Amino acid sequence: MAPTPPGQHPGTPGPAPGPAPAGLIWTRPPKEKRERPTREAIVAAATDLADTHGLDAVSIRRIAAALQTRPMDLYGHFARKDELIDLMADQAAAGAVLGQIPRHWRDALAAIAHALRAVCLAHPWIVTAAGRQALIGPNVIRHVEQSLQATAALGLDWTTRLAIWRAVDSYTMGHAHLSPGRDHSDGTTADDPGWRAAAGAYLQDLAGSGDFPNLAAFGAAGLLHGTYDELTFETGLNWLLTGIAADAQATAHPAPCRPKFPGVSPGPCSPGDT
């Protein structure tokens, strides 16, 4: 989906009437609550459409129909369709923000990853949205802040901590993206029992051909996901966190001790120092 040009409202073929709202959507307050439909109602209707039919199904005309209002009544809220997607994604991302993160960095990153995966499975289009535009809403930033806070005690530089956040998010969102049935747009086959039966038989034939001995030993059904998805996510996440732990142990800088005398700069702790 190409970003809608400035001055053109989402879901319209040409320039929208009147001046487009100025500034980022995050710096522009919503219109007064008494105006209908409200920004919140528009975002909720758009999210329902995306959850049911995929992100490409979201348009001003379909949202207006869901809200039983005119498309013109929605035009004053957004300068571009990107802004509506920003609001939708950030509302969904609230589910990835933990009430409190665990104290140990590994437990914290694991909990954050599981929360993010749940959001991506509930709202599969958010992975698509993240691949199309930078998501910088307040809930997204709270999620990033928690991910960075989780690694604060590891003694790593900022570049490495940012890389850890991106690695965990990329793994989590990528795994969710490949989960069966995550794309709710029209024409998907993952939930079609007839397709799954035919695909299983086809893979079993390949396994029995003798050309794929590893597939035959493992079992063709494993390639269709489903049963193994939770296991593969947990296993892969543990591998990733173990690698992060090993790298952090090799590269972390020890925290400086408090100076023992006034005016003396602190240095690395020696065994027994506090």
Side-chain angles (χ1 to χ4, degrees), residues 92-190:
V97 178
L98 303 181
Q100 184 175 2
I101 64 174
R103 296 187 63 179
H104 191 274
W105 71 268
R106 185 164 180 152
D107 294 337
L109 288 181
I112 291 168
H114 279 281
L116 179 60
R117 180 172 183 261
V119 167
C120 293
L121 293 177
H123 307 285
W125 51 267
I126 198 171
V127 180
T128 304
R132 292 178 178 179
Q133 62 195 66
L135 303 178
I136 58 171
N139 287 318
V140 171
I141 300 305
R142 289 186 186 100
H143 161 74
V144 176
E145 172 68 19
Q146 288 192 335
S147 297
L148 294 175
Q149 179 61 35
T151 57
L154 286 178
L156 300 172
D157 58 66
W158 280 104
T159 301
T160 303
R161 290 169 64 191
L162 284 170
I164 291 173
W165 154 60
R166 288 189 177 276
V168 174
D169 270 21
S170 296
Y171 169 74
T172 301
M173 298 179 79
H175 195 282
H177 184 75
L178 295 174
S179 294
R182 67 104 205 153
D183 185 355
H184 295 173
S185 57
D186 293 338
T188 57
T189 59

Side-chain angles (χ1 to χ4, degrees), residues 209-260:
S209 69
D211 294 332
F212 305 94
N214 289 287
L215 177 62
F218 176 71
L223 296 185
L224 295 179
H225 299 282
T227 305
Y228 299 100
D229 271 16
E230 184 66 34
L231 174 63
T232 59
F233 175 73
E234 194 67 41
T235 301
L237 180 62
N238 282 332
W239 285 339
L240 177 59
L241 297 179
T242 297
I244 291 171
D247 188 70
Q249 186 174 13
T251 62
H253 301 291
C257 289
R258 290 177 295 176
K260 297 182 179 180

Side-chain angles (χ1 to χ4, degrees), residues 26-108:
W26 307 115
T27 62
R28 216 165 56 236
K31 294 179 178 294
E32 294 185 19
K33 292 286 186 180
R34 66 172 178 268
E35 292 199 22
R36 293 292 182 270
T38 62
R39 179 190 285 184
E40 290 80 3
I42 296 170
V43 171
T47 299
D48 286 342
L49 277 171
D51 286 347
T52 305
H53 301 292
L55 192 60
D56 289 339
V58 176
S59 71
I60 283 295
R61 288 187 176 85
R62 295 186 74 168
I63 297 169
L67 294 174
Q68 298 183 331
T69 189
R70 304 175 305 162
M72 192 65 65
D73 295 334
L74 278 61
Y75 289 158
H77 290 273
F78 312 104
R80 298 172 298 278
K81 186 174 179 178
D82 294 358
E83 293 187 341
L84 175 57
I85 295 172
D86 272 340
L87 291 170
M88 294 164 56
D90 201 66
Q91 183 66 35
V97 178
L98 303 181
Q100 184 175 2
I101 64 174
R103 296 187 63 179
H104 191 274
W105 71 268
R106 185 164 180 152
D107 294 337

